[in-house]
Amino acid sequence: MQKNAKQLNIKHRNFWQTHPAAFGAVVFLAYTVLQCVAHWSLVLGQNLMKWDIWQAHYPATVMMGDALRGGTIPMWNPLMLFGVPYYTIVGMPVWYPTTLLFAWLGYTPTLLNIEYVLHTVLAAFGAFLFIKQQMKNSAIKKEICIPIAFLAGLLYGNSGVFLSNAQHIMIIISATWIPYVLYAYQKYLEENKPIHLMLSAGFAALIFFGGYPELFYYLFVFLVPFTVYVNYKKEKSVLYNIGNSALKYIFHAVLTVAASAALLIPFICSMSSLARTNDMGTVPVDMNPVSIFTTLMPGVSSVLPDEPSMGVYYVGVFTLVILPLIFKSKYKDKWFYCISTAAFFVLNLGDGAFFHSFLYRFFPMFTSFRFPTISRCFMALFLLVVAANLWSELLDSLQTEKIESKPLVQLSKILTVSLLCCFAAASVLLYVLQVGAENAAIAASIKIVLSASFYGALIALSYFVFFRIVHQKLIKQATACVALAGMVCFETFTFVYAYTPLTIARYSPTQSMQKIGGPETKEEIDFQKAQNSQRNRSIDFSQAVRTQNKLDSQKIVFDKTFDKNGYLSFVLVNTDRYLDSYNHMITDENPVVYFTSNVVNETMEDLESWMNNPAVTPDQIYVENGILPKTEVEVGAVAKPNQIQSDLASITKTDGMVHTQYPATQPMLGTEFYKLRVYLEESNKETVDVQLVFNPDSNPLTIAGNYHVYNKETTKPYIDVYYPDADVSYSQTDITMAEEISSVESLKMSRTAESKNVTIDAFSFNHIEITVDAPKDGYLTVMQLKYPGWNVKVDGEKANIETINGTFMGVALEQGTHHIVFDFEPMDFFIGIAITMLFGVAFIIVLVYPFFAKNANKKVKTNRKK
């Protein structure tokens, strides 16, 4: 009886070893319950996400969902200015597995919330696996290591990375899979099993599919020292270790490329024509070192000079208090992970830090990273690896005579007193400043510090009591484990509820789409759900609203707009020629699809001249390999914008300088924009030299060019001057020219909405159908990027797609009525999909092969016995 009880006890203690899959399922379920409790308002749909996740990811995913349920795989997104391949938008996880699943189910605000919570669960479980793996060689009993790894995973899933970056679902996805990549890759390096290598590559591919390319890049930079460190064998030579590590690293990189090929190959093919479009790609966020203060009090991030959503480092007060034990720790890998933690913390500081500049010197890609603080993913994980081993050693010391907890008692006491002093000082200052209303802003900041210091002191005090009890040996080891678990959970949920997470539901009244809470929040959620259920899912974009120009040749504006169905469209830069088109306001002059017989001429040299000459009329269209001779070029053949308003400007002449003073123009709204029409007394010239100075008194902009002179019988000769930026108000323009000026008009124009010769029959993700009634030989122009993969048929016969302005698609047509069909069938996408599918097949084979081999061996042994 006693023997059976002892065997049962052994089985119970080794459950995680005898039934690893079942034990893993239990741990995952526990994390699921805890995270759902922590974020119950999100799971139940009583709260909303905000910022980037709402303005970009949500509408793009809704559009994906509509397409999937309509039986279409979206490969081309025509809503983005001039169109862009839908699958090349790396950093917006519309092709990510969970996003695809939720999109197919029908993406709603609640599903968006659940996607966030699910990833905090996955992240916690991944950190648990990785940290448990680091503790496997420890002499400390597994009964301590397992629960400690569980607590460390809980802290990772609720660290500052997840608390403060909830609106950046791409950072959340990246931080989720990093522990899995490292876990599987280390198992491969130690056990040399191909299945682990393929698992690691698959996890890395998930980062590329749904996360930030920056983190994908960071990961493979870190894997270089990680591979050498883990793979290093002392009994082998240095050359052998370096060569062997390099080989395994290359194997991992190749398999990662194969696993992510579905998006990686198209992304590489389109890198030359895609760019971040808000000028933020070359401006890294330079974090202030003071932001480390948010480790103890996350809430104070809103009163620090840094961006709140990028500067929270919270990883648990207990984790920081226990760090002095590092020097006496027996954990063999402590210095590798300590150095890694420190390196990633320094990298968080941004482009002003030496470490970031040093990496940029050898890895120029670092200069374009918008978020250096995303390296907190690594910092938090590696810090918790070290801390978890220290926790285990602390609890294990309860079984020995010597307890190393005295410095922890002192440190937690100092921390508690400091935070209480901060609380007292903030209370006094708040009382003083509330006397005058002029101090309201300062008082609000002090309230934040007051609240944060109270929570921090409460947590620190509880740890002081815990360390004191441990130091006096007033508690048994098992009880200490339970107490520690309770305290970590208490700390985690205190911070989660206090800051809920920092970018969820803590809405500022000044921010768009943000509610304080209560009925207003519920009203906003109900509105979004109703909008989702009432959306027209026909996926016909012929009448959809696209982003307007709003650009000049110097700066690209991140212009987020939505069509009537709530889909996102925004500007992407496509090649230098694409940019040059903006100099001529081509998007303001023409509809999305139109017919023209207007061609500049047939040579690339003249195209370059046209692009670089702001004086050339913007409605002139260049067609590569054009069919019309130069003598048949008709200036102004394209349908002109409608003249809405004409204001006579005052003119002052001084030594040939003509100053025009006209009412200040407003920035372009919707489809409206402005231009100047300068009338000449007389002119028989085809062109005249003109110099223009816009806003001469403030931020002057000078443009000179050879402008075309329009001669009409009903008016005097004139030139048209287009403003260099349709998004700027111009109060004055100085015009210098040799000709005598008669008058100047400021014309308020509207963009041509349609072409009377063109009927759009269908305009969807991968398919465009157009009927054209061509009054003469000319070109059908489609203002979509001529990207490899587009094919066209005219009246059922295959035709060539011409390149218009080095960017757009055009088809040469003869006079008469024609039916034109464009289809997008990109080879880079299909090749990438095929490679990824081959990787999946290979993974399944490697996964199931051991089982078949084992059964085959059993049969052989059985036959031999017979």
Side-chain angles (χ1 to χ4, degrees), residues 183-201 248 251-252 255 843 846-847 850:
Y183 168 75
Y185 188 49
Q186 183 169 345
K187 286 186 74 69
Y188 164 70
L189 294 175
E190 294 174 347
E191 301 176 17
N192 212 31
K193 292 182 179 179
I195 186 63
H196 294 145
L197 182 63
M198 299 190 76
L199 269 173
S200 181
K248 291 184 175 181
F251 284 160
H252 184 260
L255 285 177
F843 176 79
V846 172
L847 181 65

Side-chain angles (χ1 to χ4, degrees), residues 57-79:
H57 172 64
Y58 179 80
T61 306
V62 167
M63 185 162 65
M64 169 71 82
D66 287 353
L68 291 176
R69 281 176 288 162
T72 300
I73 298 178
M75 292 181 289
W76 185 265
N77 184 352
L79 289 184

Side-chain angles (χ1 to χ4, degrees), residues 103 327 443 525 677 801:
F327 297 98
I525 293 173
R677 177 161 291 177
I801 299 178

Side-chain angles (χ1 to χ4, degrees), residues 739-756:
E739 280 68 21
E740 193 75 14
I741 296 177
S742 172
S743 62
V744 180
E745 287 183 326
S746 174
L747 302 181
K748 186 177 182 181
M749 316 295 290
S750 67
R751 179 173 177 266
T752 305
E754 60 184 10
S755 172
K756 63 182 181 181

